[in-house]
């Protein structure tokens, strides 16, 4: 890292994040978070999810407002296209998680970002979800993310930031590693 | 009443023969314990070294046949002792290294008690009581040099693997001939995992190697062994206080190196070219569903993060090589070295395997090369963190007169390398001497 002092501002409060990290190391129970969403069927393949509260730092927390998300399927699936498809939400989740990570890691490494643009592609053979061929999986075959980043940094430094962002990304982990899911009815 | 309580807390104290009272007691006669012993002898501090087996026990009993040290002979100096053979650039086999340590113990007249297994360490007034299978010692200060590699880490899901598959740890593995013919899944991307993958693949068994975060390193760079450069540039001696997060670096797997007469580099590209299937980090077993033969499936699942894991290792290796190149340039060294080079990036399959059905019969053996942890089950002192590791500041444990030595990145990057233990032993024996001087001067000859 450069020995002279650069003023780098990517709008990330790294000191607060590092402080939280230190405090939570000593109080691991406060690090236990629960994220929540509710979802209600509207009509056809259209549903609306709402997110407001979550649990963390030992107590109930709230977003500044509640957020609503419509999901549906496009007309070629004989749907009415009231919102993006659920798998596209997965791409949104991955892109926004990695991008937030890039800004944070760059700030921590004292690197000024000018622009960060990601293009994502998830390839899918829909013979899986249509039940045509049981050897074809339902989900993505793979996801490709291409970042176009302008920053005061060398290509290796940029690659290092992007790599570190993947290493610390929750959504990246959720997608690349299996998770147990329980679905119940009441 | 009080006395009864005290005795109840110390059930063994009256039953065990008393072996002696010493100023310092060292647990473990490997390179670290012996280096410390030599430093204490130099400082005229009376001590004993307790060893559960014979000197260099884990090297005698817990290493596979083909293993050679990762460090070249010239690098293996210990306090008051250095390699004296005629092959300074070669790598010792395990028996050669056992002999080396044996010779060291004899040269420094280390007061080693063989065949003594420590079963308990308790705090007493002005020191510690050490209970063993042969009796008890008392000491004012204690050095734990029992190693970082006592217990192989095995994921808990190991128990769910079908019994038709043999599972081994690297403490049990000796050579490929002990394995059934057929596929082998090796879990772990350290030096161990890669070395085993290479020799088992060569034996005709198809190897799948599961790798998580790893440290890629060429054996030689610009015509010299990588340890020459790490020493010259000061990287070997990087101090534990200079890392942002020392706990992270302490958990790093050993660099992907092998010590061979050919000084060859061992990396994932080489293994891949020899036919090894490189897959992501092992992340669990899925036992639901059945396979095409109607048998219960037992799917080993691998992370899809292999690309990033390999990219990170390549970037880190290139940063190391950049540091070396810059150092060479700064020193204006132009002769006797080769030109800079960059190695081929790690090649990852377009779609790396994400799961393997262990019930399909293709895999016959699973080898866990997933690291080790120390065994402190005998230590009755509140000095361990929630992960069961010492709370220590560069080997100085958070209890009066208690030290540890020989752990990865304990004081420097080279703390767990054979020759790296010397500086740590010098420092800690000085610290220990100051502790004794400050704590016991007024009544130095009094028994506690």
């Amino acid at each position: 890292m450069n020995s002279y002092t650069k003023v780098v501002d990517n709008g990330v409060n790294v000191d607060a994040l590092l402080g939280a990290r230190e405090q939570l190391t000593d109080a691991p129970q406060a690090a236990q978070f629960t994220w929540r969403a509710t979802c209600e069927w509207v009509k056809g393949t259209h549903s609306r999810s709402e997110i407001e509260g979550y649990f963390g730092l030992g107590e109930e927390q709230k977003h500044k407002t509640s957020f609503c998300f419509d999901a549906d399927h496009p007309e070629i699936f004989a749907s009415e296209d009231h919102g993006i498809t659920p798998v596209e939400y997965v791409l949104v989740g991955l892109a926004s998680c990695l991008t937030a990570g890039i800004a944070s890691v760059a700030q921590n490494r004292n690197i000024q970002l000018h622009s960060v643009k990601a293009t994502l592609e998830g390839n899918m053979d829909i013979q899986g979800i249509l039940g045509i061929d049981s050897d074809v999986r339902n989900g993505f075959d793979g996801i490709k993310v291409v970042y176009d980043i302008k920053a005061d940094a060398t290509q290796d430094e940029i690659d290092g930031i992007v790599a570190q962002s993947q290493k610390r990304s929750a959504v990246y982990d959720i997608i690349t590693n299996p998770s147990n899911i329980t679905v119940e009815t009441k | 009443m009080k006395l009864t309580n005290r005795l109840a807390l110390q059930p063994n104290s009256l039953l065990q023969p008393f072996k002696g009272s010493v100023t310092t007691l060292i647990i473990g006669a490997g390179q670290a314990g012996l280096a410390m012993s030599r430093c204490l002898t130099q400082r005229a501090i009376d001590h004993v070294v307790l060893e559960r087996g014979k000197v260099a026990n884990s090297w005698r009993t817990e290493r596979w046949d083909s293993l050679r040290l990762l460090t070249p002979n010239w690098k293996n100096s210990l306090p008051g002792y250095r390699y004296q053979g005629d092959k300074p650039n070669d790598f010792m086999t395990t028996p050669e290294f056992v002999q080396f340590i044996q010779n060291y113990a004899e040269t420094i007249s280390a007061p080693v008690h063989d065949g003594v297994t420590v079963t308990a360490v308790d705090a007493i007034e002005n020191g510690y009581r050490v209970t063993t299978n042969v009796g008890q010692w008392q000491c004012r200060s204690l050095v734990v040099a029992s190693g970082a590699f006592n217990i192989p880490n095995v994921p808990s899901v190991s128990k769910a693997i079908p019994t038709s598959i043999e599972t081994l740890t690297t403490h049990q593995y000796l050579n490929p001939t002990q394995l059934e013919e057929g596929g082998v899944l090796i879990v772990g991307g350290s030096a161990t995992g890669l070395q085993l993958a290479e020799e088992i693949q060569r034996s005709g068994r198809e190897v799948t190697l599961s790798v998580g975060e790893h440290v890629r390193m060429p054996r030689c760079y610009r015509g010299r062994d990588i340890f020459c450069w790490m020493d010259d540039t000061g990287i070997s001696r990087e101090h534990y206080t200079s890392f942002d997060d020392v706990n992270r670096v302490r958990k790093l797997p050993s660099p992907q190196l092998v010590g061979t007469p050919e000084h060859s580099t061992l990396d994932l590209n080489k293994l891949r070219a020899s036919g090894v299937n490189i897959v992501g980090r092992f992340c669990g077993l899925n036992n639901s569903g059945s396979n095409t033969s109607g048998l219960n499936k037992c799917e080993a699942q691998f992370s899809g993060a292999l690309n990033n894991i390999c990219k990170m290792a390549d970037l880190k290796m290139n940063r190391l090589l950049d540091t070396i190149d810059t150092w060479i340039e700064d020193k204006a060294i132009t002769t006797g070295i080769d030109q800079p080079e960059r190695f081929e990036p790690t090649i990852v399959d377009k779609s790396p395997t994400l799961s393997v059905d262990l019930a399909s019969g293709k895999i016959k053996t699973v080898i866990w090369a997933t690291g080790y942890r120390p065994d402190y089950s005998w230590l009755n002192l509140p000095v361990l963190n929630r992960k069961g590791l010492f709370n220590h500041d560069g080997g100085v444990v958070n209890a009066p007169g208690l030290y540890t030595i020989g752990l990865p990145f304990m004081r420097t990057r080279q703390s767990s390398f054979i020759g790296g233990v010397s500086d740590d032993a010098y420092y800690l024996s000085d610290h220990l001497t100051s502790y004794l001087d400050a704590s016991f001067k007024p009544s130095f000859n009094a028994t506690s």
Side-chain angles (χ1 to χ4, degrees), chain B residues 415-430:
Chain B
S415 282
S416 58
F417 296 138
I418 307 304
V421 89
S422 299
D423 285 345
D424 294 1
Y426 293 132
Y427 176 87
L428 292 178
S429 54
D430 277 345

Side-chain angles (χ1 to χ4, degrees), chain A residues 99-115:
Chain A
T99 304
I102 285 167
S104 308
V105 175
Q107 184 76 50
N108 193 36
R109 295 186 180 179
N110 217 29
I111 289 171
Q112 181 66 54
L113 298 172
H114 299 298
S115 71

Side-chain angles (χ1 to χ4, degrees), chain A residues 21 163 166-167 172 176-178, chain B residues 213 245 301 303-305 308 312:
Chain A
R21 185 189 141 137
Q166 290 168 73
K167 185 180 166 183
Y172 181 91
T176 54
N177 296 315
Chain B
E213 204 176 337
D245 185 352
Q301 297 180 309
S303 168
N308 190 47
M312 288 192 108

